Structures are given as C-alpha cells and as structure tokens.
Amino acid sequence: MTASATDPHAQTLTATAADLRIARYAAIAILLGVVEAGFPSPIPGVKPGIANIITLVVLWRYGWRDAAWVSLLRIFGGALVLGGFLSPGFALGLCGGLCSLAALGAAQYLPRRWFGPVSLSLIAAFAHIAGQLGLARLWLIPDNGIVRLAPVFFGAALLFGLANGLIAARLLRPAPEYAEETAI
Amino acid sequence: MRGFESQLLRPGDWLITGLAASAVIALAMLAWRSDGATHVRIYQSGKLFAELDLAAHRTLDVPGPLGLTTVEVAQGRARIAADPSPRQYCVRAGWLSQSGQVAICLPNRTSIELTGSKPRAYDSLSY
C-alpha cells in the first residue's frame, strides 16, 4: 500500500477473481441485511433472513468454501454497518450462522437431481434457529421455558426457509438461452 | 433428460418440506402440551382437608374460621364457588383446570390446588 519500492519487506496483495467474486456477493448480502433491518419484526428474533439467498446462490454455484466466506463476511460486515457488533444479537446471529454453515457443509452432498436449493434453504434455516435457540438457552435465558418459544421460531424458519429457497431456486434456474448474461 | 433441474421444487424438496412441517407440528404439540389436572387438593389451615377427582361432579363445603368455603368440581375443573372472605380473591380466580393452579382464600384459611400426572414444580405452598 504505502510501502516504497525499496522496502525489502514490501508485499503485493493481489485479489484473485475468487476474492473479487466473494467480495461482490458479500456486499450484496450485507445490503440485503441492511434493507431487512429497516422492516419491523412482529416477534424479536424472527427475521426473513433474505441475505441467506445470496449464501445459497454462492453455495450452489461456487461451493461451500465461498459460501462460508460470504456468510461470515455478511455477519461481521452487517454487524459493523448496523452497529450491533459483539452485541448479544450479534452472538446469536453468529452462532446461528455457524450452525447453518455446518449443516450446509453436510447437505451440499445431497444429490442435486433430487434436492434443490429449497432443501438447502430449509436445512440452513432450521440449523440457524437451532443454533440461536441453543445459545440463548445456554447463555441468555438459562431456563427450559424457552422451549415454549421454539415452535414459533421453527415455524418462522419453515416459512422463511421455504420462501428464501424458492427465490434462490428461481435465481438459479437454468435458462439455456440467456444463462450467461443474467449471472448476478 | 433435464427433468427436475428446471423445477423450483424437486422431489427431495417436497420431502424435506414435509419433514420440516411435521417437525414443527410435533414440536408445537410437545412444547405446548398443557398438563391437564386430574385431582384437586383442598387445604384447611395448612392441612389436607380432602382430595377430589376432577372427573366427579360435586360440591364440598369446607368449614373455616369465618364460615363455609364452597368448592365446586365439574367437568375436569374446580373453583371456589363461594367464600366468606371480604375481598373474594379466590372466588374471582374462577375455574381452574391446569395442574399447579391454586386459589387461596386467605381470611378463611382455605385453599385448593390442582394436581396432575407430573410432580409439581415447587416443593410446598404455605401461608
């Protein structure tokens, strides 16, 4: 960056095509997260999680490693943009995101002919809620009464996981005539 | 053959959606299962006065220092139907049907407590 040409320790960082791609997708995901934060939620903790559509698209096209980068960049970047970094909500989101990525790591091997993006979305959404509720039970609300909230959260995961999965499936639907030009 | 590739919901997606929906329903039934009460215990001055089955329909008068407290049991529920206490808190508690619910008539030193299959969450109730 500011290192002079004579500095023997000077290093040049070159962004590869994959780096640029990840950055681009993460930027879209952060933007979607910011847009979503503008909508009021009827129940605290219940959010559509539309940024996960981007994670699904990246997973489908470029594999789990890129999807993990985009997802984590979105969680950290989104927290910095919205001001929730290291807050309890951030911890819950991070725990949910990590559980979600772990589940996707296993689910990516499902045969694609039979299991499309909707399956991955539902699995990711359920893992996300399970991670969030698990951390909440262990740390924030150490009481089993939280179980009574679980059906509400998992019901939301079903609804939004299905919706996000359908949107991702629509974006990823093969369209031979103009497939190359419509890549987002 | 392209088959399912162009479908938004492939066969496995239907399967996963069905499994997820059943899981949510099962979780709701499990988490929101109410513990219906089976018996009512009537206490007078801290001592067990009577224990009635909620399936039976009957009315019981419990004598206390102020007079008679009337406990009514009907259709799996129980209530204090009448009580000589001035503020009538236990009467206003209305019908009780869940395990662990109580109605306490403090001036007349009488209380009812509903019990179910599960042991109660607290050790004792005293006044």
Side-chain angles (χ1 to χ4, degrees):
Chain A
M1 287 187 270
T2 54
S4 69
T6 53
D7 187 345
H9 301 294
Q11 290 184 356
T12 309
L13 285 174
T14 316
T16 64
D19 294 338
L20 293 174
R21 195 174 62 216
I22 288 169
R24 207 155 46 225
Y25 278 112
I28 301 171
I30 290 170
L31 183 73
L32 288 178
V34 171
V35 168
E36 185 175 88
F39 288 91
S41 164
I43 306 165
V46 172
K47 287 197 295 181
I50 50 175
N52 294 318
I53 297 167
I54 304 300
T55 310
L56 289 169
V57 168
V58 173
L59 177 74
W60 199 260
R61 284 189 180 152
Y62 306 107
W64 185 83
R65 189 186 152 276
D66 283 24
W69 268 112
V70 168
S71 177
L72 291 173
L73 281 171
R74 182 195 68 75
I75 292 168
F76 282 89
L80 289 176
V81 169
L82 293 166
F85 188 53
L86 296 184
S87 67
F90 166 79
L92 290 175
L94 179 61
C95 185
L98 290 174
C99 288
S100 191
L101 284 173
L104 284 176
Q108 62 176 328
Y109 297 111
L110 288 170
R112 290 197 169 185
R113 196 171 128 62
W114 299 94
F115 296 92
V118 174
S119 291
L120 296 182
S121 178
L122 281 170
I123 290 167
F126 273 66
H128 196 284
I129 288 297
Q132 249 179 320
L133 277 179
L135 184 66
R137 167 64 184 83
L138 288 174
W139 176 42
L140 292 175
I141 310 167
D143 187 274
N144 281 334
I146 200 170
V147 169
R148 287 181 171 261
L149 287 174
V152 176
F153 287 116
F154 279 101
L158 175 67
L159 190 71
F160 294 130
L162 194 61
N164 291 342
L166 284 171
I167 294 169
R170 179 67 188 82
L171 291 172
L172 290 163
R173 182 151 67 176
E177 321 86 77
Y178 55 98
E180 293 309 309
E181 287 91 83
T182 51
I184 58 167
Chain B
M1 109 179 191
R2 275 184 59 219
F4 309 130
E5 299 287 315
S6 58
Q7 295 177 7
L8 291 186
L9 279 163
R10 300 171 196 192
D13 295 337
W14 287 105
L15 178 76
I16 298 271
T17 307
L19 284 177
S22 342
V24 170
I25 292 168
L27 186 68
M29 291 191 346
L30 205 70
W32 292 340
R33 181 183 48 191
S34 59
D35 186 24
T38 56
H39 288 79
V40 56
R41 283 183 180 162
I42 302 162
Y43 292 92
Q44 218 304 303
S45 303
K47 293 190 186 69
L48 187 63
F49 178 83
E51 181 162 4
L52 304 178
D53 196 320
L54 286 180
H57 185 121
R58 66 175 292 185
T59 308
L60 187 69
D61 285 333
V62 185
L66 297 183
L68 291 179
T69 296
T70 308
V71 179
E72 186 181 354
V73 178
Q75 293 157 8
R77 308 175 299 170
R79 67 164 177 170
I80 306 280
D83 182 69
S85 305
R87 282 172 294 275
Q88 300 284 301
Y89 289 135
C90 57
V91 178
R92 286 196 219 160
W95 287 103
L96 312 179
S97 57
Q98 301 295 305
S99 177
Q101 284 185 314
V102 292
I104 302 168
C105 310
L106 208 50
N108 209 26
R109 308 195 58 163
T110 306
S111 71
I112 59 171
E113 177 191 358
L114 268 59
T115 56
S117 49
K118 279 197 271 185
R120 51 185 169 182
Y122 42 87
D123 292 335
S124 68
L125 190 70
S126 62
Y127 53 89

